[in-house]
Amino acid sequence: MSSISHAFREEAYSCPVLPGNMQRSDVQRLMRRVAPAIGMHDGQLTVMLAMIDETRPSDWVDSSVEPICFAMQSNIAALTGKDERTVRRVEAALEGVFNFIRKDVAMNGRRCRFRRSDGSEYRQGIVFSPLIEAMPRLIELEADLNSGRIDRSILKQKISAAKRLVRSKLMDLQPRFPDDSFLREAADTFLSWPTRFYASVSVDELREHLSEVSEVVDKLVAFSQSKQKMSARPDTDDLQYIQDTTQETSVFCNTTVDMQTGLKRADIGKVTAQPNGCTVSKEKDDRDPQPTDKTDFGDHLTPMRLFYLCTEEMQFHVQISQGDRPYPDERDFTNGAIDRLQPLGIHPSAFNDAADQMGSMAASLCVLIIDRNRFHPKTPIKSPGGVLRAMTRRHACGQLHLDRSLFGLMHRASAGNVGKP
């Protein structure tokens, strides 16, 4: 539909208005609250709020007109401290990714309004009616955030992923150091953790438990690295691809995708009982073993290369998980992937099924690939949840080739075609 047709449409049809007693300022407050949950980063939010500021407050509640931003990209850039190219990218994302705006502009991007001789108004610019239509689901999302439902779901998934990593480390280290008291203590701690969380468990309690599990992971990684230095031999099953050095070391070098041991599925059900230790029994929850993925990624995918393949949004979450450590590791990519599920519209069960099938790291790489390929130049992904389930099925059939997808992203990155629109 042409921009002129859009301009006349407001005279023929009733335009959407904000629900209840909402005003333009309520829309801005709501967007600040839900932006992280829908995957909108600070730069996009800043530009969007500036554009909303350029609309008339009365147009958001008047069914005879649509709220329209007439400000040029150069003006928005000056208001927000961005460049015009960034504003163009944000506008494209607001229309194509978030579906919050409709661009009714001239071929040269011109925005304007004027009155015709008959008294009617011609208006051309960035239309916010799609955002008004999205208000019900955004209000529902805010209610979920306020109730802690989404926070609880994300925390529970991160706890499950961290526990899988603890189990993997114990499976590798206990047979090699059967008399070590630290490993016996770690295994006892692992078995003491709850296998389910009831609705009465608060978000703060979940955060505290995640910190406890993460602390055990850190100690196991440190223990493994110390033993590796003492033996002066490389350990392909450790997360030792993250080194405290300026040199990039390989993430996947003849190891499994989720960096777990090469045990057969039948062998993963339990950790061998030690003379003075315990056996970590198989459970149908966080303690379930993960199958390995035998894909060989070679020497090319370092942690930082993987990091730069992530979208800006996923990089943000990876960095939060990484904290003060010099390089991101498996935990950080997994946590980053979990944080991206809700914004991508991927149901937690889809990620859990993928992790059960291929391991947490491989499932996280699937999310990384899906997230980035929403902006594929030829075949952008429209249904991230459906694609993740399809990738899980392909892995079960031995037909999933994550290495090809990742190297495809690297090739597009080198050609400058990976960025957002």
Side-chain angles (χ1 to χ4, degrees):
M1 185 179 294
S2 68
S3 59
I4 295 179
S5 298
H6 278 310
F8 280 102
R9 188 178 65 176
E10 63 184 17
E11 301 174 6
Y13 299 98
S14 177
C15 303
V17 297
L18 292 175
N21 296 320
M22 285 189 71
Q23 300 293 323
R24 188 188 71 174
S25 59
D26 296 314
V27 174
Q28 293 171 303
R29 179 200 61 77
L30 178 64
M31 291 309 305
R32 290 188 182 96
R33 172 69 174 135
V34 304
I38 63 175
M40 179 179 288
H41 58 68
D42 289 343
Q44 293 170 330
L45 178 63
T46 299
V47 171
M48 180 179 178
L49 293 179
M51 293 167 62
I52 292 177
D53 273 334
E54 294 299 308
T55 65
R56 289 190 308 202
S58 60
D59 291 351
W60 293 79
V61 294
D62 186 347
S63 62
S64 65
V65 294
E66 293 182 296
I68 299 179
C69 170
F70 302 105
M72 297 297 292
Q73 290 173 343
S74 57
N75 294 337
I76 298 297
L79 287 172
T80 58
K82 312 288 184 184
D83 55 53
E84 291 187 44
R85 182 179 179 184
T86 298
V87 174
R88 284 196 296 272
R89 287 203 303 266
V90 172
E91 285 185 0
L94 290 176
E95 182 177 39
V97 178
F98 299 107
N99 299 315
F100 287 161
I101 66 170
R102 186 181 72 247
K103 294 181 70 172
D104 287 349
V105 298
M107 294 297 293
N108 62 355
R110 182 170 177 264
R111 302 107 192 264
C112 64
R113 62 176 175 179
F114 58 85
R115 289 199 176 276
R116 306 185 187 92
S117 58
D118 61 0
S120 63
E121 188 177 45
Y122 177 80
R123 312 170 86 224
Q124 199 173 50
I126 303 299
V127 182
F128 279 96
S129 291
L131 178 58
I132 293 179
E133 293 170 344
M135 279 296 110
R137 65 179 176 84
L138 294 177
I139 292 172
E140 182 179 355
L141 173 59
E142 183 188 31
D144 287 342
L145 290 171
N146 290 336
S147 67
R149 185 184 309 171
I150 292 178
D151 289 342
R152 283 174 52 83
S153 175
I154 291 174
L155 285 169
K156 287 164 69 174
Q157 285 194 294
K158 289 182 178 180
I159 289 170
S160 295
K163 286 181 177 179
R164 283 193 289 264
L165 190 52
V166 170
R167 180 186 179 85
S168 173
K169 300 301 295 181
L170 287 174
M171 288 167 52
D172 171 54
L173 294 170
Q174 275 194 320
R176 293 159 50 190
F177 308 101
D179 300 323
D180 189 89
S181 59
F182 165 72
L183 293 179
R184 290 199 301 271
E185 180 181 349
D188 290 339
T189 300
F190 175 84
L191 289 173
S192 70
W193 287 332
T195 59
R196 293 289 188 272
F197 293 101
Y198 297 100
S200 59
V201 178
S202 68
V203 170
D204 289 338
E205 289 175 304
L206 289 174
R207 287 199 181 99
E208 183 178 348
H209 187 51
L210 177 59
S211 297
E212 179 187 1
V213 178
S214 299
E215 183 179 354
V216 174
V217 173
D218 289 334
K219 290 180 178 179
L220 286 171
V221 171
F223 176 89
S224 179
Q225 290 177 344
S226 66
K227 294 297 183 182
Q228 176 189 335
K229 291 178 181 178
M230 291 174 61
S231 62
R233 67 175 183 84
D235 185 347
T236 59
D237 292 326
D238 285 338
L239 294 175
Q240 51 91 34
Y241 59 91
I242 304 299
Q243 302 289 342
D244 190 8
T245 174
T246 57
Q247 181 179 1
E248 285 191 339
T249 351
S250 177
V251 178
F252 305 117
C253 181
N254 300 321
T255 66
T256 62
V257 169
D258 60 352
M259 300 166 222
Q260 298 186 21
T261 62
L263 298 176
K264 298 178 181 178
R265 295 179 69 121
D267 297 332
I268 300 179
K270 60 185 179 64
V271 175
T272 305
Q274 308 304 328
N276 299 316
C278 66
T279 300
V280 180
S281 60
K282 182 176 179 179
E283 302 286 345
K284 293 182 179 180
D285 49 35
D286 303 325
R287 304 173 182 178
D288 275 346
Q290 303 304 312
T292 56
D293 187 326
K294 297 299 183 181
T295 305
D296 182 359
F297 286 86
D299 299 326
H300 304 288
L301 290 174
T302 64
M304 294 312 298
R305 284 179 179 173
L306 274 182
F307 175 80
Y308 289 120
L309 289 182
C310 296
T311 59
E312 292 180 4
E313 296 83 359
M314 188 166 176
Q315 286 179 0
F316 173 74
H317 293 297
V318 170
Q319 287 178 317
I320 290 177
S321 175
Q322 178 184 344
D324 296 331
R325 285 179 281 112
Y327 295 99
D329 63 20
E330 173 181 355
R331 291 168 288 175
D332 307 320
F333 288 106
T334 298
N335 288 337
I338 291 172
D339 283 321
R340 291 296 295 148
L341 296 182
Q342 199 281 332
L344 291 174
I346 299 175
H347 195 275
S349 64
F351 183 81
N352 292 339
D353 291 343
D356 289 342
Q357 169 61 37
M358 64 184 80
S360 295
M361 186 59 190
S364 303
L365 292 178
C366 288
V367 174
L368 183 160
I369 292 166
I370 291 170
D371 194 15
R372 178 58 78 183
N373 279 336
R374 290 181 300 138
F375 310 106
H376 193 282
K378 295 182 179 179
T379 55
I381 289 177
K382 301 296 185 182
S383 177
V387 172
L388 180 57
R389 292 193 182 277
M391 295 174 82
T392 303
R393 291 193 296 269
R394 292 182 63 185
H395 183 277
C397 298
Q399 299 176 347
L400 181 65
H401 304 289
L402 291 177
D403 51 346
R404 298 179 186 176
S405 298
L406 290 168
F407 286 122
L409 289 180
M410 292 176 65
H411 177 72
R412 283 167 47 209
S414 64
N417 295 323
V418 172
K420 293 183 178 182

